[in-house]
Amino acid sequence: DGKVVGTPPPAAAICAACHGPDGNGVTPDYPSLAGQHADYIEQSLHGYRSGKRQNAIMAGFAPQLKPEEIKALAAFFSKQKGVYTTRKP
């Protein structure tokens, strides 16, 4: 529904450009973060930060994130309402 739950951490402002302010990707090209498990988001961001996980766009942002920012982002996006789709018969 596009409503943000809670107060986004400051680092979420840059995420919103692709992933939306509530963590739901602005286009199908960008994955939705909303409703993902916090530990998955944290692990993914640490992977992008270290270079173990590769993505040209994320490579420009993730290395700048501090561990406490990653934890805050993961907690925030995990609390957002994800987009659910139904299977067509």
Side-chain angles (χ1 to χ4, degrees):
D1 64 8
K3 291 185 180 179
V4 173
V5 177
T7 302
I14 194 109
C15 305
C18 298
H19 298 287
D22 64 346
N24 288 296
V26 297
T27 73
D29 296 326
Y30 301 113
S32 291
L33 305 176
Q36 295 284 354
H37 294 279
D39 59 345
Y40 172 76
I41 297 171
E42 245 184 281
Q43 183 179 21
S44 296
L45 286 172
H46 281 294
Y48 289 125
R49 185 173 183 254
S50 71
K52 185 175 181 181
R53 192 167 182 169
Q54 299 287 309
N55 177 278
I57 295 171
M58 291 300 295
F61 300 112
Q64 301 170 38
L65 294 171
K66 297 175 185 152
E68 59 271 15
E69 290 174 314
I70 289 174
K71 188 171 270 312
L73 288 168
F76 172 73
F77 285 118
S78 70
K79 293 176 181 150
Q80 304 309 306
K81 184 177 179 184
V83 175
Y84 298 98
T85 57
T86 56
R87 177 182 263 166
K88 293 182 181 180

